[in-house]
């Protein structure tokens, strides 16, 4: 295998590089004004409470006794809430700037990881080449 093939294989199969790429993708997605808190939020809630009850009432005169089985009732509640940020002391701007810096930091970490992987692979590759040359020297005498 040539050095280029070894480096390409290492770059493709390195878990550290895959993790760094995933972190960069996450920071790209998070670098959004909505994550910083500038977009309005809408919240919806809903509850549905259904109940079955059996009634057995006995009165003192015994002429009006009431007995009902499986009397149903249903309570449905729905609510929608919306809010929008008017001012918060430039916290949104500072948070957006922090998200941009995190994205740049993750890009630099990915580049550093790629460079470190290439350096390690090249060191090992040339160590193997050196050992093979050494073996040829020993056995060709």
């Amino acid at each position: 295998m040539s050095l280029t093939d070894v480096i390409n294989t290492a770059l493709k199969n390195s878990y550290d590089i895959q993790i760094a790429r995933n972190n960069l993708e996450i920071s790209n997605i998070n670098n959004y004004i909505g994550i910083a808190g500038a977009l309005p939020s809408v919240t919806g809630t809903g509850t549905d409470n259904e109940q079955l009850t059996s009634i057995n009432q006995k009165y003192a005169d015994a002429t009006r006794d009431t007995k009902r089985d499986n009397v149903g009732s249903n309570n449905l509640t729905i609510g929608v809430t919306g809010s929008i940020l008017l001012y918060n002391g430039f916290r949104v701007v500072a948070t957006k700037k922090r998200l941009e810096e995190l994205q740049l930091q993750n890009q630099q970490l990915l580049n550093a990881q790629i460079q470190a992987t290439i350096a390690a692979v090249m060191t090992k590759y040339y160590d193997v080449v050196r050992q093979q040359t050494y073996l040829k020297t020993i056995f060709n005498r």
Side-chain angles (χ1 to χ4, degrees), residues 61-127:
D61 60 5
T63 60
R64 299 184 310 162
D65 289 349
T66 304
K67 182 172 183 173
R68 292 188 182 150
D69 291 327
N70 298 325
V71 176
S73 66
N74 191 11
N75 184 15
L76 177 63
T77 306
I78 297 175
V80 176
T81 305
S83 66
I84 187 167
L85 177 68
L86 296 177
Y87 179 75
N88 67 350
F90 298 108
R91 187 178 69 188
V92 171
V93 175
T95 303
K96 180 68 169 99
K97 182 68 175 165
R98 182 177 60 85
L99 292 172
E100 289 171 3
E101 292 298 323
L102 284 172
Q103 181 180 357
L104 291 174
Q105 180 183 13
N106 282 324
Q107 179 65 46
Q108 293 300 321
L109 288 172
L110 174 62
N111 291 340
Q113 186 62 50
I114 290 171
Q115 293 298 321
T117 302
I118 290 172
V121 166
M122 288 176 74
T123 302
K124 297 291 183 184
Y125 181 82
Y126 285 116
D127 189 40

Side-chain angles (χ1 to χ4, degrees), residues 6-91:
V6 173
I7 289 174
N8 288 336
T9 302
L11 291 177
K12 187 173 74 171
N13 295 330
S14 173
Y15 289 123
D16 291 330
I17 292 175
Q18 289 176 9
I19 289 170
R21 280 190 184 131
N22 287 342
N23 287 339
L24 178 61
E25 186 176 340
I26 289 167
S27 66
N28 287 340
I29 292 170
N30 283 340
N31 188 9
Y32 180 64
I33 196 73
I35 300 294
L39 294 180
S41 65
V42 177
T43 306
T45 60
T47 59
D48 186 14
N49 189 6
E50 193 165 333
Q51 186 176 13
L52 292 175
T53 307
S54 295
I55 300 171
N56 188 6
Q57 277 183 324
K58 295 191 181 218
Y59 293 97
D61 60 5
T63 60
R64 299 184 310 162
D65 289 349
T66 304
K67 182 172 183 173
R68 292 188 182 150
D69 291 327
N70 298 325
V71 176
S73 66
N74 191 11
N75 184 15
L76 177 63
T77 306
I78 297 175
V80 176
T81 305
S83 66
I84 187 167
L85 177 68
L86 296 177
Y87 179 75
N88 67 350
F90 298 108
R91 187 178 69 188

